[in-house]
């Protein structure tokens, strides 16, 4: 955990309060990805996540300019709080305006939750990772993440101890991260 | 939520899989807003899990042929894990081996007995043939004494008994096979044969009117009617039997006279209740005779 983060946040907050446009840009630069990821995790839609990111930053900047953040070191929690409010509002609004086409798309399974995180690079990295996995290791990943079977049941079915399965999972994820970062 | 707690409790994976409680989820979100390392790991985990699911669907991670583990896949872990599995498997194999051994021994013994019996039978048969040849030679030469003949006759008798004894088990089995099955109905060998005469005929089976009164007991399964005065000369005849209400009870086609010129029909007693019936005999399309019968109890 970076120890300098609270100090940087305090500086950012003070600068934004004083109307520093560069500080606002730095604030966006620092939290933009996190905010988008948080919204994507909750809403599973890239468009909605983008909307949430924009709306949240508008509200955060307005609040900071008005000096509403009493503890500048809590900037992260402050942004999360506003983002979750925007997400709640987005969900409520979405329920009201959900069109028939959206329902049909959901029924057809065209937008599963994890698809929001999928792109060509993810697929490529995963396929590269799978090349180095043994059949039993691939089997385990499939049973655990896709079929969502409990770890003890998988261990029994594959004849492997649970500790070993955790190691397989950890190594596969590590390998994936390395490959993904290189792409 | 500390960095160590996150690592120890696999919080990142639980977050991606939406398995955290709302409070823990919020706490972790606040954490990764400040922690670069956790944020990087969380995004990587989200992408990884999404990729695994997508590739599982597309078949890249489909190592299995079926959704359910096969028999051996389920058996092998069961053998490794529970305490009962290995002894049970060992006992099963031992039992199978013992039964196979006993069966093999029994089969061998039976084969030996069969070989021995066949050899004895062949030897006895050979000796019998030799003795019979010798008797014929002695008789032809008339040179044997009475004592020699008796001796040879006794020996022949003894050999025949041996042969018969060798044959007995087979005959016993054949006899067993020929035993009538009590559940199989025996053929009726003494079906009643009754003469009937047509309307307008001279003779009657009973009474003076044109009704043929028949007494066929309930215990009788079948009976034969000999159709009198049937107008011979046709190659075949057809008979229709109707109840007093005119309902067709049974019919027979292709009836032919026997070598004595008698035309008969076999009827099933069980099909016929007590009452009156009319039997019409046809030659081609022409009705050539009609019989009225009354069946008693």
């Amino acid at each position: 955990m970076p120890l300098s983060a609270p100090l940087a946040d305090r500086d950012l907050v003070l600068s934004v309060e004083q109307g520093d446009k560069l500080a606002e840009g730095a604030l966006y630069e620092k939290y933009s990805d996190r905010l988008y990821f948080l919204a994507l995790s909750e809403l599973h839609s890239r468009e909605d996540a983008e909307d949430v990111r924009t709306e949240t930053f508008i509200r955060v900047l307005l609040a900071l300019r008005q000096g509403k953040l009493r503890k500048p070191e809590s900037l992260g929690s402050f942004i999360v709080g506003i983002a979750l409010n925007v997400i709640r509002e987005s969900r409520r609004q979405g329920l009201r305006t959900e069109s028939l086409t959206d329902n049909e798309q959901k029924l057809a399974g065209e937008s599963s939750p994890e698809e929001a995180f999928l792109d060509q690079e993810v697929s490529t990295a995963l396929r590269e990772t799978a090349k180095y996995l043994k059949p039993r290791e691939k089997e385990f990943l499939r049973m655990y993440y896709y079929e969502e079977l409990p770890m003890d049941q998988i261990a029994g079915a594959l004849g492997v101890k649970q500790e070993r399965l955790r190691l397989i999972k950890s190594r596969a994820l590590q390998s994936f991260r390395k490959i993904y970062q290189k792409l | 939520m500390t960095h160590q707690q996150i690592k120890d409790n696999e919080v990142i994976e639980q977050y991606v899989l939406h398995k955290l409680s709302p409070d823990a989820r919020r706490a972790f979100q606040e954490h990764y807003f400040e922690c670069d390392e956790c944020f990087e790991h969380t995004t990587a985990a989200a992408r990884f899990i999404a990729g695994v699911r997508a590739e599982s669907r597309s078949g890249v991670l489909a190592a299995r042929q079926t959704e359910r583990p096969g028999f051996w896949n389920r058996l092998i872990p069961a053998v490794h894990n529970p305490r009962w599995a290995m002894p049970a498997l060992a006992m099963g194999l031992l039992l199978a081996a013992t039964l196979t051994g006993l069966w093999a021994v029994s089969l061998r013994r039976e084969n030996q007995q069969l070989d021995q019996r066949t050899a004895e039978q062949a030897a006895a048969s050979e000796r019998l043939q030799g003795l019979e040849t010798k008797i014929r030679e002695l008789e032809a030469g008339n040179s044997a004494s009475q004592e020699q003949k008796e001796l040879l006759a006794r020996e022949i008798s003894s050999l025949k008994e041996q042969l018969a004894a060798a044959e007995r088990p087979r005959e016993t089995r054949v006899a067993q096979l020929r035993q009538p099955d009590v559940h199989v109905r025996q053929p009726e060998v003494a079906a009643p044969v009754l003469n009937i005469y047509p309307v307008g005929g001279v003779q009657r089976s009973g009474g003076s009117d044109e009704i043929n009164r028949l007494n066929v007991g309930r215990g009788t399964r079948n009976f034969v009617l000999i159709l009198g005065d049937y107008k011979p000369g046709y190659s075949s005849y057809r008979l229709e039997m109707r109840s007093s209400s005119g309902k067709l009870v049974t019919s027979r086609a292709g009836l032919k006279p026997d070598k004595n010129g008698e035309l008969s029909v076999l009827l099933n007693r069980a099909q016929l209740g007590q009452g009156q019936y009319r039997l019409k005999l046809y030659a081609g399309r022409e009705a050539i005779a009609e019989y009225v019968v009354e069946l008693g109890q």
Side-chain angles (χ1 to χ4, degrees):
Chain A
M1 191 179 305
L3 296 171
S4 59
L7 291 174
D9 280 350
R10 179 174 291 162
D11 292 342
L12 281 172
V13 170
L14 291 172
S15 300
V16 171
E17 280 179 2
Q18 292 163 6
D20 185 346
K21 295 294 177 188
L22 286 174
E24 288 179 2
L27 185 75
Y28 184 88
E29 188 70 28
K30 182 175 180 184
Y31 289 109
S32 174
D33 287 349
R34 287 165 168 76
L35 198 47
Y36 180 78
F37 178 77
L38 185 147
L40 198 59
S41 302
E42 298 297 322
L43 296 171
H44 311 298
S45 159
R46 290 176 185 170
E47 286 179 6
D48 291 347
E50 193 60 60
D51 290 345
V52 168
R53 175 161 61 181
T54 306
E55 178 63 24
T56 302
F57 266 110
I58 291 169
R59 293 188 191 187
V60 167
L61 291 175
L62 284 172
L64 292 181
R65 283 174 196 164
Q66 293 168 8
K68 287 185 178 177
L69 180 60
R70 293 179 184 176
K71 294 180 181 175
E73 64 273 18
S74 305
L75 180 61
S77 301
F78 182 69
I79 296 172
V80 169
I82 291 174
L84 293 176
N85 280 333
V86 173
I87 287 166
R88 271 192 286 274
E89 288 169 17
S90 172
R91 279 179 176 150
R92 279 200 290 270
Q93 196 175 3
L95 284 173
R96 285 198 298 272
T97 59
E98 199 170 37
S99 68
L100 182 64
T101 310
D102 293 335
N103 279 330
E104 285 170 351
Q105 281 179 347
K106 281 178 186 175
L107 285 171
E110 288 178 3
S111 56
S112 56
E114 65 270 12
E115 275 182 22
F117 298 105
L118 275 179
D119 54 27
Q120 190 57 44
E121 290 177 337
V122 171
S123 294
T124 305
L126 204 284
R127 288 178 187 221
E128 280 297 311
T129 308
K131 284 181 186 174
Y132 301 102
L133 296 174
K134 293 173 186 171
R136 188 181 287 187
E137 293 171 342
K138 285 195 273 189
E139 181 69 1
F140 158 65
L141 293 177
R142 179 188 151 88
M143 292 169 89
Y144 185 69
Y145 288 119
Y146 183 63
E147 297 180 21
E148 296 183 350
L149 296 173
M151 192 72 95
D152 58 340
Q153 193 177 329
I154 299 171
L158 298 179
V160 178
K161 289 181 179 176
Q162 291 190 43
E163 293 74 23
R164 170 76 184 152
L165 293 180
R166 286 197 185 88
L167 195 64
I168 293 170
K169 188 173 64 171
S170 172
R171 282 182 183 169
L173 176 58
Q174 201 173 348
S175 171
F176 170 82
R177 278 177 55 223
K178 282 180 185 172
I179 293 169
Y180 183 81
Q181 282 168 354
K182 286 180 186 171
L183 291 174
Chain B
M1 188 173 285
T2 66
H3 205 68
Q4 194 58 42
Q5 283 174 330
I6 289 164
K7 276 189 174 177
D8 292 346
N9 300 322
E10 297 185 324
V11 171
I12 291 174
E13 185 182 280
Q14 290 186 54
Y15 174 77
V16 174
L17 296 174
H18 291 262
K19 289 182 178 176
L20 291 177
S21 67
D23 289 344
R25 188 170 180 79
R26 169 73 185 262
F28 180 65
Q29 285 166 337
E30 289 179 0
H31 176 85
Y32 76 64
F33 256 69
E34 301 294 342
C35 177
D36 291 337
E37 187 186 344
C38 282
F39 177 65
E40 194 274 319
H41 280 121
T42 307
T43 52
R47 290 186 186 112
F48 176 70
I49 291 169
V52 168
R53 286 176 170 172
E55 298 307 326
S56 294
R57 272 196 297 275
S58 68
V60 171
L61 292 176
R64 286 193 301 177
Q65 294 297 316
T66 56
E67 288 298 314
R68 202 158 172 252
F71 172 76
W72 290 109
N73 285 340
R74 281 180 279 139
L75 179 66
I76 290 166
V79 168
H80 284 303
N81 295 330
R83 291 176 184 173
W84 55 266
M86 191 58 86
L89 187 62
M91 284 298 290
L93 290 171
L94 186 66
L95 186 64
T98 308
L99 289 173
T100 307
L102 287 172
W103 176 74
V105 168
S106 164
L107 195 66
R108 191 177 172 185
R109 192 177 297 155
E110 275 184 23
N111 280 337
Q112 284 173 344
Q113 286 174 350
L114 193 63
D115 289 346
Q116 192 180 352
R117 198 174 299 155
T118 306
E120 285 171 1
Q121 198 172 352
S125 179
E126 201 175 330
R127 281 177 64 197
L128 181 64
Q129 203 174 353
L131 287 170
E132 281 176 343
T133 307
K134 197 172 179 182
I135 287 172
R136 276 197 297 275
E137 286 171 2
L138 289 170
E139 282 175 347
N142 205 16
S143 58
S145 67
Q146 188 63 29
E147 194 180 346
Q148 279 179 314
K149 283 181 181 175
E150 284 175 4
L151 191 66
L152 287 169
R154 276 202 297 276
E155 197 169 349
I156 286 169
S157 175
S158 166
L159 284 169
K160 279 183 178 173
E161 277 179 15
Q162 282 182 28
L163 281 171
E167 280 288 316
R168 204 165 293 137
R170 191 174 67 84
E171 285 172 356
T172 307
R173 181 66 191 136
V174 171
Q176 281 172 354
L177 290 171
R178 284 181 179 164
Q179 280 283 328
D181 187 346
V182 291
H183 299 296
V184 177
R185 298 178 75 182
Q186 297 300 305
E188 191 177 40
V189 292
V193 180
L194 305 162
N195 287 304
I196 58 169
Y197 297 93
V199 175
V202 180
Q203 301 175 63
R204 293 286 177 271
S205 60
S208 58
D209 56 13
E210 294 183 330
I211 300 172
N212 296 275
R213 299 180 193 286
L214 310 174
N215 290 316
V216 183
R218 281 259 176 220
T220 305
R221 197 181 311 150
N222 298 303
F223 61 99
V224 178
L225 293 180
I226 295 177
L227 309 173
D229 299 343
Y230 66 90
K231 199 187 275 188
Y234 296 94
S235 58
S236 70
Y237 300 84
R238 181 167 60 87
L239 183 77
E240 283 185 359
M241 187 175 188
R242 294 179 184 274
S243 67
S244 56
S245 63
K247 186 183 173 187
L248 183 67
V249 177
T250 185
S251 66
R252 298 284 190 279
L255 294 175
K256 289 185 179 180
D258 63 13
K259 60 183 179 183
N260 299 319
E262 287 183 335
L263 189 64
S264 60
V265 61
L266 181 74
L267 296 172
N268 188 334
R269 176 67 178 86
Q271 283 185 336
L272 306 169
Q274 186 183 356
Q276 207 172 82
Y277 298 90
R278 300 184 83 83
L279 289 80
K280 244 181 192 174
L281 189 66
Y282 293 86
R285 292 182 177 179
E286 186 189 358
I288 56 169
E290 188 174 14
Y291 306 82
V292 180
V293 298
E294 191 172 274
L295 208 57
Q297 284 187 335

